[in-house]
């Protein structure tokens, strides 16, 4: 838990208080505008992919240390479904340019609470993915409506 908080704080600081974070937001918001404003998009893409690879590798090492073995299936579609749902609940847009680390952390905690509530209410585990999928559909709908309102204001 402490590691997640440290990574979250470092990422928040990097995204909110550095030029690199501003460039990432510009790239996520509108790639063509980022190119037009002189950003080195290929270098930024490479840096983002490298950061994703390093953090993914560290997460894999921590996961295999926790479970005591390496598993090819670990982090499969069920985990991806939960992660994407938590990120969307946290306010990150599917199309990029919107969202923040605090919202994602709150979304992850909220989804954990929902998962725990399902366990406590003795709902069979087979229904967890159905509930998470329904939440994902609602989050995508809210994201779509939020994007529509944002573009109508402009």
């Amino acid at each position: 838990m402490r590691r997640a908080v440290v990574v979250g704080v470092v990422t928040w600081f990097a995204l909110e208080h550095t030029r690199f974070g501003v460039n990432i937001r510009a790239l996520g918001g509108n790639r063509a505008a980022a190119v037009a404003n002189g950003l080195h998009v290929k270098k930024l893409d490479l840096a983002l992919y490298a950061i994703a690879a390093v953090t993914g590798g560290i997460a894999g090492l921590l996961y295999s240390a926790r479970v005591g073995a390496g598993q090819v299936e670990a982090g499969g579609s069920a985990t991806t479904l939960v992660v994407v749902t938590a990120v969307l609940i946290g306010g990150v847009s599917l199309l990029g340019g919107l969202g923040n680390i605090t919202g994602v952390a709150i979304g992850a905690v909220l989804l954990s609470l929902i998962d725990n509530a399902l366990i406590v209410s003795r709902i069979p585990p087979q229904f967890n993915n159905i509930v998470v999928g329904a939440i994902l559909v609602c989050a995508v709908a809210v994201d779509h409506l939020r994007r529509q309102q944002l573009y109508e204001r402009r």
Side-chain angles (χ1 to χ4, degrees), residues 104-115:
V104 171
I106 291 170
V109 168
L110 183 62
L111 202 57
S112 296
L113 289 173
I114 291 169
D115 190 44

Side-chain angles (χ1 to χ4, degrees), residues 15 18-41 44-45 48 95-99 147 151 154:
L15 289 175
T18 65
R19 181 183 288 182
F20 181 67
V22 172
N23 290 345
I24 290 172
R25 288 223 179 188
L27 181 64
N30 188 340
R31 189 175 186 88
V35 170
N37 283 315
L39 291 182
H40 298 286
V41 174
L44 191 58
D45 277 342
L48 290 173
L95 301 176
L98 294 175
R147 278 283 184 176
Y151 286 128
R154 292 182 184 177

Side-chain angles (χ1 to χ4, degrees), residues 5-96:
V5 171
V6 169
V7 169
V9 168
V10 168
T11 305
W12 169 81
F13 182 81
L15 289 175
E16 297 292 328
H17 298 290
T18 65
R19 181 183 288 182
F20 181 67
V22 172
N23 290 345
I24 290 172
R25 288 223 179 188
L27 181 64
N30 188 340
R31 189 175 186 88
V35 170
N37 283 315
L39 291 182
H40 298 286
V41 174
K42 289 184 180 182
K43 287 182 182 178
L44 191 58
D45 277 342
L46 182 64
L48 290 173
Y49 280 121
I51 290 169
V54 168
T55 54
I58 292 170
L61 287 172
L62 291 174
Y63 184 79
S64 64
R66 181 177 177 207
V67 204
Q71 300 174 355
V72 176
E73 304 89 25
S77 61
T79 305
T80 304
L81 176 71
V82 171
V83 169
V84 169
T85 304
V87 167
L88 284 172
I89 288 174
V92 174
S93 176
L94 281 173
L95 301 176

